Amino acid sequence: MDKIQSIKQRFEIIGNDPQLNRAIGKAIRVSPTDISVLVTGESGVGKESIPRIIHQLSLRKHGKFIAVNCGAIPEGTIDSELFGHEKGAFTGASSANKGIFRAADSGTLLLDEISEMPLSLQAKLLRVLQEKKVNPIGGQRDIDVDVRVIATTNRDMVDEVKEKKFREDLYYRLNVFP
């Protein structure tokens, strides 16, 4: 319990609810691993604190921590934003963009509100999680990436899967440690 209290002080978390303490305890336990984590909870409960705790207690703490709100990136550009693009890959691609996955290489990527990610992109994300490679738009080859992915959502993902709004295989890939 002392470890949980010191984490709360370090990350300026206020409260002593048993569920909060359990969530912090889980974050402490999973942090030395590289497995994917899915953080669920209602809006406003501070879900973004858990990924920061995991990152700071992990072996990746010296790497970048990049947070991306999946609902804030327009559907037409999210592929390029996450996975990158080559110069000339599409109209307006006047220079290459390595993408967020490559920018987070050797660090942690928080996919905030993962349930907002378009279905069309979920298959590509699943492939990146499984193979640890990205292929930028217009790219000729896969590029290795070493990124730990943590996802958050305020939705009931089981319902999202049942309603075919979220891929079941991606859900299980992300929900290795809920």
Side-chain angles (χ1 to χ4, degrees):
M1 194 56 138
D2 289 337
K3 177 92 172 170
I4 290 173
Q5 293 301 13
S6 82
I7 294 293
K8 284 198 239 180
Q9 287 177 342
R10 180 174 167 191
F11 290 91
E12 300 178 349
I13 298 171
I14 299 170
N16 206 26
D17 184 83
Q19 287 183 324
L20 171 63
N21 292 340
R22 190 174 69 226
I24 293 170
K26 283 180 153 187
I28 293 167
R29 283 194 314 278
V30 76
S31 62
T33 72
D34 251 353
I35 60 176
S36 299
V37 177
L38 179 63
V39 181
T40 59
E42 296 174 19
S43 294
V45 298
K47 291 181 295 295
E48 66 284 342
S49 296
I50 298 298
R52 290 187 187 283
I53 292 168
I54 293 169
H55 175 72
Q56 285 301 313
L57 298 179
S58 77
L59 297 174
R60 295 177 178 273
K61 67 183 171 192
H62 299 294
K64 290 184 179 177
F65 177 88
I66 298 177
V68 177
N69 183 327
C70 295
I73 302 173
E75 189 169 345
T77 63
I78 193 168
D79 192 347
S80 171
E81 291 291 323
L82 288 177
F83 309 116
H85 64 261
E86 297 298 329
K87 180 178 178 178
F90 52 84
T91 305
S94 56
S95 62
N97 171 11
K98 67 180 184 177
I100 293 168
F101 266 91
R102 286 173 54 201
D105 196 40
S106 77
T108 303
L109 177 58
L110 168 59
L111 296 175
D112 194 23
E113 296 306 339
I114 188 72
S115 55
E116 300 293 326
M117 181 172 280
L119 266 172
S120 59
L121 209 56
Q122 291 176 23
K124 194 165 183 177
L125 174 59
L126 178 65
R127 183 174 173 266
V128 172
L129 293 174
Q130 290 173 332
E131 298 178 17
K132 306 243 182 259
K133 296 176 186 292
V134 295
N135 191 327
I137 297 171
Q140 301 300 312
R141 61 183 176 82
D142 289 341
I143 300 167
D144 292 336
V145 289
D146 175 24
V147 177
R148 179 187 205 158
V149 173
I150 302 174
T152 66
T153 184
N154 63 359
R155 300 225 181 120
D156 181 327
M157 293 303 284
V158 173
D159 287 347
E160 295 292 301
V161 168
K162 283 179 187 172
E163 294 172 17
K164 305 281 189 222
K165 294 179 183 174
F166 201 83
R167 290 180 60 107
E168 184 175 20
D169 48 3
L170 178 57
Y171 167 69
Y172 286 114
R173 175 63 67 171
L174 290 170
N175 198 34
V176 175
F177 193 94

